[in-house]
Amino acid sequence: MAGVGMDTKIYPSEKYDRVRFSSDQGGAGPSAMNLKERKIQQDRFYEVQSALTLEEARYSEMRKKIPGLGRIPKDRINTQSQDSEFQKRKQEHVVFVKQNFRQIECSKFVPDPKKLGVKKIRDLKCHCGEILTEHAGLSSAQPMNNVQRDIVEAYLIPEKLRSHINRETLFKAPPENLASLLHSVPWSKEDAFRENICTTFGKISFVNNDNSKPAKYVRLSHNDSVDRCLELMEKHWKIMEPKRPSLCISVIGGAKSFKLDNKMRETFNTGLIKAAKTTNAWLITTGSNVGVMKAVGNAVSEGQSFLWDDDRITHTLRLIGIGPWGYVKDRKYLESDGDGCFPVHFKTSNIIQHGKPVPLNPNHTHFVFVDDGYRNNYKGASEFRASFEQKVSKPTEAGGLGIPVVLVILEGGTDAISDAMVSLNHHIPVVVCSGTGRAADILAYAYSHTRSKHHDSKTPRNRKGELKPKHEDKLIEKIFDAYGERWKEKEIEENIRLHLTNVKKCMEHRDLINIFPMNKHEDLDIAILTALLNSKAGETSDEIRQNQLKLALTWDRADIAQEEIFREDVLWPTGSLDDVLMEAIMEERVEFVALILTQNVVMKEFLTTQKLQDLYDKSLSRMDSHHLKKLMRRTINSEEFSYDNLARLMESLMDKYDHDFDESSIVDTGPGKKFSPVLTNAQQHFKFPFKQLMIWSILMLRQKMAMFAWQMGSEPVTSAVAASRIYGSMAEHIHRNESALKEKVLAYKDEFEHLARSVLDECHIKHQEKAMMLAERKSPSWSSMTSLQIAASAGNRVYLSSVACRNSIDATWRRGIYSRWKVLVTVFLPFLLFTPFLEVNAMGEKKAKTFQKILTFYTAPITKFTHHSILYMFFVTRFTVLCVLYRSYTCPL
């Protein structure tokens, strides 16, 4: 679970049992009020309990154990405002739906002459596809008396049919002359269909799926605005929160005859969920519990999880069902009295009956039921769904959402071919899962045996797929084998010609089609990404390339980005990659950062003071920054980022720290006066940008990014030791109860320790003297500190135990004196300094002078230690002798 806030409402069903409270205490206890008042107060208490936040619920459990205190504070019980924020949002939701959406009902029952082969009149179906008792007015759950029923029947049934079809003849056989009567009773959808205010919306709680959160639903007319539907989903369903989707995956295919073996099912489920989670994608099906839709629902069920977002819980995977209202089993239970159902308890089923409506899949999170007036017909939502997907995929400048859409086809009937053709005509890429049967295999065969006929246009978009003549007969055979059994003999030739034409039209956009073989060990998510990139391969606009790059970044596929996007013939304007680079750093996409830096992007120009501040601000607002907030609170007593706070924090971790702002931006205002616009100039740069990036990565525990910044920056040895010092100081401020976090930080510290030593040891192998110089060098990027100083202050024993460090420490100890034993001799015989007996390093001079030798000798740490040791031994010896003499004098024998 992510993002649990302290003001979060309890959801979905964590409500307390109803208990009786005393009005004076706000707690449990007897009451003398009458039953009506007690019922009102209990309802109020129950409402308050249901609206408790997590923090209040926690304290409520504590309060109930204290006698006389009560579970709920008095101010929550006695509040005058009964309208919670939830009720206000609910009322706005109801008003919006009623103002913008309509539902269609048939107001004229005329039996369809083609469907008269029934035994009883009650089974006769109208032209709209519904029986009489399910028409508006008669299907109501409210009981009706005979008078009311007669009035409704008089409205629904034409006068010429009323004597044969009424409530008294429902269980009788249809009259023999019914067919002739129907010729004189016209029926048209224009006369029969009536649009009414939508009353079918709210939430569905699937009673046979206890682990699911209630799904939101709405019923709307096929003529209603797609814009209003998206507005409902965005503003009232909050489907864009907490994160906007980067992709929309529409899945179509077979229904009742669809099957996947275990291997294919695993390939499909894994790839689909990985693609959806990686991009926070919307998944779209028809929402039914059959075929491909059920397979997608099962895949989502395996990968579904929840997260807290402010005051509500949300799904991590959004599965949207856009299907026909007339083909939903038990749909009448979803209707309300006008104010919606919040929620309606709905029972779904796995039983599928031929020619009858199908149940809903309980793993869908949202349902949009499209009502075209017809019932028991599954084709009523295809046009609205196509318009919905086109609106989603349109650029924001054209009034769309700018979210890429990809169509995935598994198996499928003839409607799958038609839907693919519509999507391709609107430049929506299609991924065909070959090996699943029927439509998918037909399209895959046509794709593999189609040649591209280029026209005069230079762009690959204008290709016309041309099927090779020798393969057309085979394609016709495949179409007949897949669908011919259901066609009448006189319709076969016409249907084959129609669907063959549709397949050929699909092949005209073969550059938008990607074939994914389900039998091979490949990833479906990569096939989806490749389809999206290939769909824009011929486009040259910066916006399209930016969207492609963001998709590749979301998938973390730098290899595909390098092959398909960062081509040699593509020129990127200055600054066009800044946003993508910032996102890559935030998401720790190291390979992408390295790839972008090869596109003439200079880190010193990119990382300004403003960008670094944005980096810290965005990081501190994320859920994975709790450790940094605690560290800042414990060290500098602040959680807000500023450069002053950053300096204070780093000084507490490293003792010394400099921002290293680029001095070229400092303005000279006069003799001895300089002005540095550090906090006002957003374009201020840093001398060592990779150092700043490494510090940010370390503070955020982004070890991969820290390693990359270390590799790209200067002074690898000192930087590695400094990183180890920062990690070590951070570990000291971590509470002992946070053992997992502390072990993680210490592991990062050890990694940089060994890295610093291995680099220094490698240098020592190449050149011993220069390795010592490297250890002793004052670093300009780390406040003029040496790596030895940083390692000593951090207690970095691994680094200090290296050969180069030990040699450096020894050289510092002797300070140019070559022999150790000669020091002891010279201490007792100082005149030897005037002879060649004691050799001293000339330290850059041609020959060490006598005065220089004397100064070097008496200031060397080894000489000082020798003098102090000799004097200490002399003192101890003298003290011992005096003590012995004193004792013998005071205690004679």
Side-chain angles (χ1 to χ4, degrees):
M1 305 291 283
V4 179
M6 293 308 296
D7 60 342
T8 309
K9 299 294 185 294
I10 299 174
Y11 189 85
S13 59
E14 299 178 22
K15 298 178 180 179
Y16 298 100
D17 297 332
R18 291 182 182 242
V19 294
R20 298 184 179 183
F21 297 95
S22 173
S23 59
D24 57 342
Q25 293 182 352
S31 175
M33 63 182 67
N34 58 48
L35 292 177
K36 184 176 181 180
E37 292 175 344
R38 183 179 300 176
K39 179 66 168 59
I40 294 174
Q41 190 176 35
Q42 284 185 1
D43 289 341
R44 172 58 185 154
F45 292 146
Y46 184 62
E47 179 184 353
V48 172
Q49 286 178 329
S50 302
L52 291 179
T53 65
L54 288 177
E55 185 177 22
E56 291 171 338
R58 175 192 176 199
Y59 291 138
S60 176
E61 290 297 314
M62 296 180 182
R63 290 171 62 91
K64 76 174 184 178
K65 298 178 182 179
I66 302 176
L69 190 58
R71 293 180 64 168
I72 302 177
K74 292 182 180 180
D75 57 347
R76 289 298 303 269
I77 298 176
N78 300 328
T79 181
Q80 299 297 320
S81 175
Q82 299 290 324
D83 295 330
S84 64
E85 186 65 26
F86 171 77
Q87 293 297 332
K88 293 179 182 178
R89 293 199 304 265
K90 176 183 173 182
Q91 187 60 32
E92 292 174 357
H93 183 188
V94 171
V95 172
F96 181 86
V97 171
K98 289 185 175 181
Q99 288 179 347
N100 293 281
F101 302 122
R102 299 291 181 267
Q103 58 190 39
I104 301 177
E105 298 286 358
C106 179
S107 62
K108 186 178 182 180
F109 179 79
V110 177
D112 188 349
K114 300 178 182 179
K115 302 177 181 179
L116 297 180
V118 296
K119 296 181 179 180
K120 296 181 180 180
I121 291 179
R122 68 174 184 178
D123 297 326
L124 288 173
K125 290 187 177 181
C126 177
H127 286 269
C128 70
E130 193 59 275
I131 62 176
L132 175 63
T133 54
E134 295 298 328
H135 272 63
L138 296 179
S139 62
S140 174
Q142 298 295 330
M144 300 173 59
N145 55 40
N146 291 338
V147 176
Q148 293 173 329
R149 190 175 182 87
D150 289 338
I151 294 174
V152 175
E153 288 182 356
Y155 173 75
L156 288 175
I157 305 172
E159 186 176 355
K160 293 182 179 181
L161 301 176
R162 209 170 296 158
S163 59
H164 301 282
I165 301 175
N166 53 63
R167 60 184 174 85
E168 297 179 353
T169 63
L170 289 179
F171 295 93
K172 296 181 180 180
E176 297 180 357
N177 62 339
L178 181 60
S180 59
L181 288 174
L182 294 177
H183 289 296
S184 60
V185 183
W187 186 95
S188 65
K189 64 179 183 180
E190 290 79 10
D191 294 334
F193 289 166
R194 297 287 184 271
E195 287 192 352
N196 303 312
I197 295 175
C198 178
T199 60
T200 307
F201 61 94
K203 295 181 179 180
I204 305 175
S205 178
F206 291 99
V207 296
N208 47 350
N209 191 6
D210 296 333
N211 295 326
S212 67
K213 177 179 178 286
K216 301 177 179 66
Y217 76 99
V218 68
R219 171 186 174 188
L220 47 79
S221 167
H222 65 294
N223 295 320
D224 283 337
S225 170
V226 174
D227 291 332
R228 299 287 79 78
C229 180
L230 288 170
E231 185 178 352
L232 170 72
M233 298 172 73
E234 182 175 357
K235 292 186 177 180
H236 298 280
W237 289 359
K238 309 293 184 183
I239 199 169
M240 294 287 190
E241 299 176 5
K243 186 178 179 182
R244 178 184 172 88
S246 302
L247 178 64
C248 178
I249 305 174
S250 179
V251 186
I252 62 173
K256 298 175 182 178
S257 60
F258 172 78
K259 290 183 180 179
L260 283 179
D261 59 30
N262 292 335
K263 181 180 178 182
M264 288 186 179
R265 185 184 302 110
E266 183 179 357
T267 300
F268 175 73
N269 290 2
T270 303
L272 184 68
I273 298 307
K274 185 177 180 181
K277 284 191 171 182
T278 302
T279 60
N280 192 39
W282 290 349
L283 300 172
I284 299 180
T285 72
T286 60
S288 55
N289 198 32
V290 60
V292 170
M293 294 67 71
K294 184 176 181 179
V296 176
N298 292 338
V300 169
S301 177
E302 293 177 6
Q304 186 65 277
S305 58
F306 303 90
L307 57 87
W308 292 104
D309 177 37
D310 291 337
D311 62 342
R312 66 194 190 95
I313 191 173
T314 63
H315 295 92
T316 55
L317 296 175
R318 311 294 176 88
L319 180 54
I320 307 170
I322 303 179
W325 166 254
Y327 211 61
V328 176
K329 185 179 180 180
D330 297 329
R331 57 185 174 273
K332 64 181 180 181
Y333 297 110
L334 300 177
E335 298 175 352
S336 71
D337 56 359
D339 292 331
C341 300
F342 296 91
V344 56
H345 296 282
F346 191 81
K347 186 176 182 180
T348 187
S349 169
N350 292 321
I351 300 175
I352 308 300
Q353 295 178 316
H354 180 71
K356 292 187 178 181
V358 294
L360 297 177
N361 182 267
N363 296 313
H364 282 64
T365 60
H366 303 78
F367 290 95
V368 177
F369 300 118
V370 183
D371 190 359
D372 63 348
Y374 291 97
R375 304 294 181 257
N376 300 314
N377 187 348
Y378 66 94
K379 295 184 179 180
S382 57
E383 292 184 4
F384 185 89
R385 177 176 173 177
S387 301
F388 181 90
E389 293 170 359
Q390 293 161 23
K391 191 71 176 180
V392 169
S393 63
K394 277 186 178 180
T396 53
E397 296 80 3
L401 297 183
I403 301 173
V405 177
V406 62
L407 182 69
V408 179
I409 301 178
L410 287 88
E411 207 245 1
T414 56
D415 55 323
I417 299 176
S418 302
D419 292 342
M421 182 181 65
V422 173
S423 296
L424 291 169
N425 287 335
H426 289 87
H427 307 301
I428 294 176
V430 175
V431 175
V432 179
C433 298
S434 64
T436 56
R438 298 205 299 170
D441 287 355
I442 290 171
L443 290 172
Y445 181 85
Y447 180 89
S448 61
H449 295 90
T450 301
R451 63 169 176 258
S452 298
K453 183 178 178 181
H454 295 272
H455 292 267
D456 295 336
S457 177
K458 296 180 180 180
T459 62
R461 175 74 64 204
N462 295 321
R463 294 176 180 175
K464 184 175 181 179
E466 184 177 333
L467 189 67
K468 298 178 181 179
K470 63 179 181 179
H471 296 294
E472 186 168 326
D473 294 338
K474 182 66 175 178
L475 185 60
I476 292 174
E477 182 181 343
K478 283 183 170 290
I479 295 175
F480 178 78
D481 292 342
Y483 313 113
E485 294 181 358
R486 302 181 182 180
W487 295 337
K488 296 180 181 179
E489 187 174 353
K490 60 181 180 180
E491 298 175 346
I492 292 178
E493 184 176 351
E494 181 182 354
N495 287 339
I496 288 178
R497 189 185 308 112
L498 172 64
H499 300 309
L500 179 62
T501 303
N502 290 343
V503 172
K504 289 182 177 180
K505 289 182 178 179
C506 290
M507 294 305 111
E508 293 178 3
H509 304 277
R510 73 187 308 274
D511 55 316
L512 295 174
I513 300 176
N514 281 72
I515 306 300
F516 175 72
M518 290 285 285
N519 294 319
K520 294 184 179 180
H521 296 283
E522 297 181 6
D523 296 328
L524 177 60
D525 59 311
I526 302 304
I528 294 174
L529 173 60
T530 305
L532 291 169
L533 296 179
N534 290 343
S535 66
K536 304 296 183 181
E539 304 288 350
T540 58
S541 69
D542 293 337
E543 181 185 3
I544 291 175
R545 288 202 300 264
Q546 287 279 352
N547 292 336
Q548 289 179 322
L549 186 56
K550 289 179 180 178
L551 278 173
L553 174 63
T554 303
W555 253 283
D556 195 17
R557 292 305 300 256
D559 54 339
I560 296 179
Q562 187 171 10
E563 294 175 4
E564 304 291 341
I565 303 174
F566 289 116
R567 303 190 306 271
E568 294 181 358
D569 58 336
V570 176
L571 297 177
W572 294 88
T574 303
S576 60
L577 296 175
D578 286 0
D579 292 341
V580 180
L581 180 55
M582 179 69 81
E583 186 175 352
I585 294 173
M586 282 292 300
E587 299 299 331
E588 202 178 8
R589 303 285 197 249
V590 175
E591 293 181 357
F592 260 93
V593 175
L595 180 61
I596 293 173
L597 290 178
T598 63
Q599 305 298 315
N600 295 325
V601 177
V602 181
M603 182 59 74
K604 189 170 184 179
E605 297 176 358
F606 164 78
L607 194 63
T608 61
T609 54
Q610 183 61 51
K611 282 191 173 68
L612 184 61
Q613 180 162 354
D614 293 342
L615 203 58
Y616 276 101
D617 290 339
K618 291 178 181 179
S619 301
L620 290 172
S621 65
R622 292 166 61 106
M623 295 305 303
D624 56 357
S625 65
H626 285 314
H627 68 280
L628 180 55
K629 292 180 181 178
K630 290 181 180 179
L631 178 65
M632 295 176 69
R633 190 164 56 246
R634 291 169 181 170
T635 54
I636 61 175
N637 197 28
S638 175
E639 295 182 4
E640 299 295 328
F641 173 79
S642 67
Y643 282 102
D644 288 339
N645 286 344
L646 178 61
R648 291 167 55 202
L649 174 63
M650 292 305 300
E651 286 174 359
S652 68
L653 299 177
M654 285 195 65
D655 299 331
K656 294 176 68 178
Y657 172 77
D658 293 324
H659 287 305
D660 301 317
F661 294 117
D662 195 348
E663 295 180 358
S664 61
S665 300
I666 297 179
V667 180
D668 192 351
T669 58
K673 298 181 180 179
K674 290 186 178 181
F675 170 70
S676 178
V678 170
L679 300 179
T680 58
N681 187 359
Q683 299 304 318
Q684 180 83 25
H685 297 280
F686 297 96
K687 290 181 182 178
F688 310 103
F690 284 106
K691 167 194 168 183
Q692 298 296 331
L693 179 59
M694 189 177 77
I695 290 174
W696 172 84
S697 303
I698 292 172
L699 294 177
M700 287 299 298
L701 301 184
R702 306 288 178 84
Q703 181 72 345
K704 291 181 180 179
M705 187 60 66
M707 293 289 290
F708 172 77
W710 171 79
Q711 294 172 2
M712 299 297 293
S714 59
E715 302 181 87
V717 174
T718 310
S719 296
V721 175
S724 174
R725 170 67 195 277
I726 298 173
Y727 275 131
S729 299
M730 290 175 65
E732 293 176 0
H733 289 89
I734 297 176
H735 196 274
R736 63 175 179 271
N737 293 337
E738 299 175 299
S739 58
L741 177 61
K742 191 167 187 175
E743 290 176 2
K744 179 180 179 180
V745 174
L746 290 176
Y748 292 163
K749 170 183 178 290
D750 293 341
E751 186 174 355
F752 269 108
E753 278 186 8
H754 289 86
L755 196 61
R757 172 168 179 166
S758 62
V759 174
L760 191 62
D761 286 345
E762 187 70 24
C763 295
H764 184 267
I765 294 173
K766 300 294 183 181
H767 200 291
Q768 297 183 7
E769 291 296 327
K770 289 185 178 179
M772 291 171 55
M773 296 176 189
L774 195 62
E776 298 168 357
R777 178 177 180 269
K778 290 186 177 181
S779 170
S781 60
W782 294 100
S783 306
S784 299
M785 292 187 292
T786 67
S787 62
L788 286 172
Q789 290 175 327
I790 300 174
S793 62
N796 189 340
R797 297 181 180 181
V798 174
Y799 179 75
L800 293 174
S801 63
S802 64
V803 178
C805 287
R806 286 189 279 113
N807 290 343
S808 175
I809 295 172
D810 184 65
T812 304
W813 170 254
R814 291 186 287 114
R815 192 170 295 176
I817 300 175
Y818 292 116
S819 176
R820 293 184 177 87
W821 68 270
K822 290 183 179 181
V823 173
L824 181 61
V825 175
T826 308
V827 167
F828 289 102
L829 304 173
F831 64 87
L832 293 176
L833 289 171
F834 299 94
T835 68
F837 176 76
L838 184 68
E839 297 180 0
V840 177
N841 194 323
M843 298 182 185
E845 300 287 343
K846 292 182 179 181
K847 182 180 180 181
K849 298 179 182 179
T850 303
F851 182 72
Q852 178 185 354
K853 185 187 291 188
I854 295 173
L855 290 178
T856 301
F857 177 76
Y858 282 107
T859 58
I862 189 174
T863 306
K864 294 179 181 180
F865 177 78
T866 303
H867 276 105
H868 292 163
S869 299
I870 293 173
L871 292 175
Y872 179 74
M873 292 173 65
F874 174 77
F875 166 76
V876 172
T877 304
R878 178 77 177 272
F879 182 79
T880 304
V881 171
L882 290 176
C883 288
V884 171
L885 293 176
Y886 176 76
R887 183 178 180 184
S888 62
Y889 176 76
T890 56
C891 303
L893 295 176

